[in-house]
């Protein structure tokens, strides 16, 4: 398995239209082709992350693929800390700015996927400064959820966490999808 294998699959075969498609076909392809690499994520991330392309592949392997391979399973988040460490080093090295959009977003997504407010603020700042557009809107919405609940309520069940009444009401009103559609807002009026 090489970094190029990951990049060819995710950037060329799946492409932007498939990145956020909750598809059984894509999930199965990620599992079938990349589960062995994900099992070696710590080693491969260290091996690959010395270049912009390698760091991008490591981030896709540790932040994107598990969300497909293990949809509705706690393992979806098992390599999130590794992804954040890899992203932080890659950004410090300037690898994000060597990467064209839309692939550049994968350097910032590990912070947007974090349940820590500092990471959320970092994600928003990165998108504002280095890749404004629709992803900035999503970063702000994710931060609004963390600001309100301190975590992502849609993860509660798979992580074995008890859902609070406020979180249940949010989920019953459509949760994140309703926020994206503008039907639900958690942001404080400015």
């Amino acid at each position: 398995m090489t970094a190029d294998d990951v990049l060819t699959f995710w950037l060329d075969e799946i492409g932007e239209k498939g990145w956020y498609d909750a598809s059984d076909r894509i999930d199965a392809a990620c599992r079938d082709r990349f589960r062995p690499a994900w099992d070696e994520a710590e080693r491969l991330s260290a091996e690959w992350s010395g270049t912009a392309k390698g760091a991008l592949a490591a981030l896709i392997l540790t932040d994107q693929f598990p969300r497909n391979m293990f949809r509705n399973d706690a393992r979806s988040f098992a390599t999130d800390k590794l992804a954040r460490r890899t992203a932080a080093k890659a950004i410090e090295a300037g690898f994000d700015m060597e990467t064209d959009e839309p692939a550049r977003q994968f350097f910032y997504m590990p912070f947007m996927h974090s349940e820590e407010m500092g990471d959320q603020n970092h994600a928003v700042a990165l998108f504002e400064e280095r890749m404004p557009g629709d992803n900035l809107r999503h970063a702000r919405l994710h931060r609004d959820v963390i600001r309100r609940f301190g975590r992502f309520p849609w993860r509660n069940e798979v992580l074995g966490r008890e859902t609070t009444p406020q979180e249940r009401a949010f989920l019953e009103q459509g949760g994140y999808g309703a926020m994206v559609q503008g039907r639900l807002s958690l942001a404080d009026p400015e």
Side-chain angles (χ1 to χ4, degrees):
M1 178 65 53
T2 68
D4 283 336
D5 294 332
V6 170
L7 296 177
T8 298
F9 172 76
W10 195 245
L11 301 179
D12 300 330
E13 291 177 40
I14 300 302
E16 192 173 3
K17 290 184 195 258
W19 292 342
Y20 304 105
D21 183 13
S23 154
D24 291 339
R25 180 187 64 78
I26 294 172
D27 291 355
C30 287
R31 271 191 308 277
D32 295 346
R33 291 171 66 175
F34 299 101
R35 172 64 194 269
W38 183 82
D39 288 337
E40 295 287 324
E42 190 82 43
R43 179 182 65 79
L44 290 174
S45 290
E47 216 173 271
W48 294 348
S49 60
T51 67
K53 283 178 61 175
L56 177 61
L59 290 168
I60 292 167
L61 178 67
T62 57
D63 187 64
Q64 296 300 304
F65 283 176
R67 285 164 167 75
N68 290 91
M69 289 190 290
F70 307 116
R71 193 176 301 280
N72 301 316
D73 183 306
R75 291 175 292 176
S76 295
F77 319 111
T79 50
D80 281 7
K81 287 181 183 178
L82 174 57
R84 283 193 302 278
R85 284 195 315 267
T86 302
K89 289 177 185 173
I91 291 165
E92 185 177 320
F95 293 158
D96 59 323
M97 298 309 288
E98 293 178 28
T99 303
D100 291 335
E101 296 180 22
R104 185 182 303 158
Q105 68 187 296
F106 298 115
F107 288 89
Y108 312 142
M109 300 285 282
F111 303 106
M112 190 169 79
H113 289 151
S114 172
E115 291 187 322
E116 299 294 325
M117 183 53 81
D119 290 335
Q120 289 295 319
N121 288 331
H122 190 46
V124 169
L126 287 166
F127 278 114
E128 281 177 342
E129 178 185 322
R130 300 173 183 209
M131 196 178 161
D134 197 46
N135 283 314
L136 173 57
R137 180 172 166 260
H138 285 282
R140 287 176 175 153
L141 292 174
H142 278 74
R143 183 178 63 182
D144 289 346
V145 172
I146 296 301
R147 182 180 290 139
R148 171 77 187 276
F149 301 112
R151 61 190 186 175
F152 295 122
W154 52 85
R155 293 183 184 175
N156 288 350
E157 186 175 341
V158 300
L159 293 177
R161 302 187 302 209
E162 190 171 325
T163 300
T164 67
Q166 296 82 6
E167 291 171 332
R168 186 170 293 105
F170 166 71
L171 294 170
E172 288 172 355
Q173 292 172 41
Y176 186 74
M179 291 176 69
V180 171
Q181 294 173 359
R183 294 184 288 116
L184 180 62
S185 175
L186 298 179
D188 296 326
E190 299 187 38

